[in-house]
Amino acid sequence: MRIAGLGESPMAAVGLADQAESVVPRLAAEVASRRNRGVDWQTAARSGATIDFTRTRLLPLLDADPTDVVIVALGVNDCLRLSSVRRWRVELARLIDAIRSRLEPGRIVLAGVPPMQHFPALPIPLSAMLGLRATLLDAATRQFAESEDDVLHAPMNFVEHPDGLFCRDGFHPNARAHALWARQLADLLNTP
């Protein structure tokens, strides 16, 4: 089985001590364990990546081989750049078309845009404003996924947890959050 990840800083393992702690390698291990088979994985990600940057600069970095599952994690940087919902929808459709063309995926999973109002590093009222924008982009993402047979939406719930789900910077998910995220994705993919 082949899994690919595309996206911004969490997909690039920003804030983690080791890439192996991030969501895609953890998802690969989870799927391999559940299915008792080998799973190859690759990621193309960068801190600060937006949806159009991901399509034009990151997607070409992935091996152009048929892929079973592509995980896309974007939205925070588009929120920070105040992208409109209309522009987000247009860019999302362009990205999905490009992924289909390059990777011929069996399934594409769009991670929900994280609820930025809960990021500890963001002060009020900035957190409220960015949280609202994230909610709007996430709703557009969910609606897009519902209109496509091969696309799933995976809501992101990075609300602070008693054991902590954020790195010390209060902005990026920590290793525990990546582990929970990987299990959520494995469950969503209905792996036995």
Side-chain angles (χ1 to χ4, degrees), residues 103-159:
L103 301 175
E104 303 171 25
R107 180 150 299 163
I108 301 169
V109 177
L110 300 175
V113 180
M116 296 181 72
Q117 68 271 21
H118 298 296
F119 284 23
L122 297 176
I124 297 172
L126 180 62
S127 61
M129 188 272 294
L130 290 173
L132 175 59
R133 183 157 302 276
T135 298
L136 294 172
L137 295 188
D138 188 54
T141 302
R142 182 179 30 77
Q143 290 167 356
F144 179 88
E146 289 170 354
S147 71
E148 303 290 323
D149 291 337
D150 60 340
V151 180
L152 295 172
H153 175 260
M156 295 289 274
N157 296 312
F158 281 90
V159 177

Side-chain angles (χ1 to χ4, degrees), residues 55-169:
R55 177 180 51 82
T56 60
R57 303 288 296 279
L58 296 178
L59 179 59
L61 299 176
L62 293 175
D63 295 336
D65 296 321
T67 303
D68 296 289
V69 178
V70 178
I71 309 295
V72 179
L74 291 164
V76 169
N77 293 304
D78 290 277
C79 286
L80 292 172
R81 289 190 170 95
L82 304 179
S83 294
S84 70
V85 172
R86 187 178 77 69
R87 180 165 188 256
W88 176 256
R89 285 184 182 132
V90 168
E91 290 297 331
L92 187 58
R94 292 175 76 191
L95 174 62
I96 297 304
D97 286 345
I99 289 171
R100 287 176 177 144
S101 176
R102 183 165 183 86
L103 301 175
E104 303 171 25
R107 180 150 299 163
I108 301 169
V109 177
L110 300 175
V113 180
M116 296 181 72
Q117 68 271 21
H118 298 296
F119 284 23
L122 297 176
I124 297 172
L126 180 62
S127 61
M129 188 272 294
L130 290 173
L132 175 59
R133 183 157 302 276
T135 298
L136 294 172
L137 295 188
D138 188 54
T141 302
R142 182 179 30 77
Q143 290 167 356
F144 179 88
E146 289 170 354
S147 71
E148 303 290 323
D149 291 337
D150 60 340
V151 180
L152 295 172
H153 175 260
M156 295 289 274
N157 296 312
F158 281 90
V159 177
E160 190 59 25
H161 185 274
D163 295 331
L165 293 179
F166 286 89
C167 293
R168 275 186 265 168
D169 66 7

